Amino acid sequence: MKSDNIKKGLARTPHRGLLMATGVSKKNMDAPFIGIASAFTDLVPGHIGMRDLERQIEKGIHSGGGQAFIFGTPAVCDGIAMGHSGMRYSLPSRDLIADCVETMAAAHQLDGLVLLSNCDKITPGMIIGALRLNIPAIVVTAGPMLDGVCRGENKLTMISGSFEAVGKFRNGEITEEHLLAMEENSCPSAGSCQGMYTANTMACLTEVLGMSMPYCSSASAVSAQKRRIAFESGLRIIELVKDDIKPSDIITKESLLNMIKVSLAIGGSTNTFLHTLAIANAAGIDITIDDFDRLSREIHQIVKINPSSTLTMTDFHQAGGIPAVLKSLYEPVKLDNTLNISGLKISEISVSAYADETVIPKYDKSEYTQAGLGVLYGNLAKDGCVIKISGVDKDCYTFEGSAKTFDSEEDAMYALENDLIKSGDVVVIRYEGPKGGPGMREMLAPTSLLVGKGLGKSCALITDGRFSGGTRGICVGHVCPEAANGGIIALVQDGDKIKIDIPNRSIELLVSDEELEKRRKELKPFEPKIKSGYLAKYASNVSDASHGAIV
């Protein structure tokens, strides 16, 4: 065991003394040392229930014959960080979390890890850390929160009950009293926000990848089932250590391609492009944005969850969750029969899965013809950009409009809040990419305001930043090259025509090459917004979004 490096032999007497100071008994000194990397914080709703899950994991580890040690990692709540400078830290925290997991486990020579996560960047960050270490590891995602209920409205979510509700209030559709009532009732429990936003998408895809137990992704944060899964994960990590089953045995090219296929079929968050590419990079596996593009032309969606429908994660779980999705997709899209850390293969999970086919239908019975996510190319995005097709009305699959340009999210929000955006406009928000932001901020506030103000079908939004999994409407993100790197998005001017063509996967700025060359000669060099601290270091080392914004 790796932990023998800190506990075996006479030379390790001081080490054992220090370990005994933490409460490790002499008998347990021979047990596998298992770290519980916990993202607990009482700042984040998705994480406030983790103290209980830590205990359940710890019980499982000790019941299996191991010795548990809990340590912490950062956790950013995107909802709270949204719409201000704090969001710049969200995506960069992924690498910080990976560094924390790697540092703590390697410094203390741990034999295995249970990674207790929930929200957006934390889950991929922990997986990246585990891949660097390549010691046995299991992910426990803490689960979604319950649906909100307010004044007879059921299935309220963080998006519909707060972000989009602000737009409805500004549009005169609801009173301030009603808005405040929704504010109080839209997030009624611990857990990740209720739709197929980035947190829940990444939880689902982690289960597909094989790194968490079946049903872990959709079991409610406040359910007894979640507590049992946490306990069973603690038990299982001891078996993985004994059998030396490592992340590199689970995370393969085949399991990553399965992850992409399921992402396209469930129409998850566009952020999965970034995180899948970053995980593949950490694993040393050749997966590119072209794999998303190729598969998105072959696979169609089977289920739409909020924000693309009124169904929530509660409905998804009751309909069978990820095992039901695997059952639907296994043969029709040729999922590889990869291994789950439970010891079961995908074929075994899918064959025994329950599926409510009114929610998660058989693949050939789906009413949808497009993938849930797509990659667009054109002169505006030579290296690609992404769109959540599942969140776009079919009548808007082809859209042409006039550009309204903004060099920051704040400027765009001012225009939206003061009714300066009209039907037919294409809101262009630039200098918000990984380098330009820095940190590639999510644009949930402006996209939600567009929808709330009734402009979701008549306006588009394009950015070199990114979107929340809660975004819907004609919203194109991850434009590459970004403005800070001299991308064409930096050359767009007010009034320019932009055409978005989802069926043909294209996005074009309808301006001549000659005019663009003239504008490029007049373009001022990019001046970094942040010149010191963590974000400055991040901006100087980060790659573009089409490569996963990896550092």
Side-chain angles (χ1 to χ4, degrees), residues 239-484:
E239 296 172 0
L240 294 180
V241 169
K242 289 177 180 176
D243 295 337
D244 195 30
I245 297 175
K246 303 180 290 292
S248 60
D249 299 314
I250 303 293
I251 301 174
T252 61
K253 183 157 189 174
E254 291 74 21
S255 64
L256 282 164
L257 289 173
N258 283 347
M259 186 175 169
I260 294 172
K261 291 173 182 178
V262 172
S263 179
L264 297 169
I266 63 176
S269 167
T270 52
N271 287 314
T272 60
F273 286 81
L274 296 171
H275 300 321
T276 303
L277 294 172
I279 290 169
N281 177 74
I285 296 170
D286 182 24
I287 294 285
T288 72
I289 195 170
D290 291 336
D291 291 299
F292 282 91
D293 183 38
R294 172 177 58 83
L295 291 169
S296 75
R297 298 169 189 267
E298 301 172 3
I299 293 171
H300 63 252
Q301 194 164 5
I302 61 168
V303 58
K304 286 190 176 185
I305 306 297
N306 187 282
S308 301
S309 80
T310 58
L311 296 173
T312 64
M313 288 300 294
T314 298
D315 300 308
F316 181 69
H317 182 68
Q318 291 172 352
I322 284 298
V325 171
L326 298 178
K327 187 184 189 78
S328 172
L329 300 181
Y330 181 59
E331 292 184 0
V333 305
K334 296 180 173 57
L335 294 179
D336 280 286
N337 196 22
T338 52
L339 181 67
N340 182 278
I341 49 87
S342 64
L344 299 174
K345 290 198 167 184
I346 280 184
S347 60
E348 297 171 291
I349 295 170
S350 61
V351 74
S352 62
Y354 160 77
D356 178 351
E357 294 182 6
T358 64
V359 177
I360 304 174
K362 292 179 179 178
Y363 185 73
D364 60 0
K365 300 294 184 184
S366 169
E367 64 181 281
Y368 308 114
T369 59
Q370 295 273 352
L373 301 169
V375 182
L376 310 181
Y377 290 97
N379 68 343
L380 192 52
K382 180 175 63 70
D383 296 333
C385 56
V386 301
I387 187 167
K388 186 170 186 173
I389 301 172
S390 62
V392 181
D393 188 274
K394 288 181 180 179
D395 294 337
C396 303
Y397 278 0
T398 301
F399 184 89
E400 185 175 323
S402 300
K404 289 276 186 74
T405 60
F406 305 94
D407 288 349
S408 71
E409 179 186 3
E410 286 82 0
D411 290 348
M413 281 297 292
Y414 177 86
L416 280 162
E417 289 172 342
N418 288 277
D419 299 323
L420 302 178
I421 303 301
K422 306 297 181 185
S423 179
D425 286 342
V426 179
V427 178
V428 179
I429 307 177
R430 57 200 177 190
Y431 295 102
E432 289 287 6
K435 177 180 177 180
M440 203 179 183
R441 289 194 287 179
E442 286 187 351
M443 302 291 168
L444 180 58
T447 59
S448 295
L449 198 51
L450 270 176
V451 172
K453 290 171 75 68
L455 296 171
K457 296 180 183 180
S458 60
C459 285
L461 190 150
I462 295 173
T463 182
D464 54 8
R466 62 195 178 92
F467 298 123
S468 161
T471 290
R472 61 189 174 106
I474 316 164
C475 299
V476 180
H478 305 202
V479 170
C480 287
E482 62 172 295

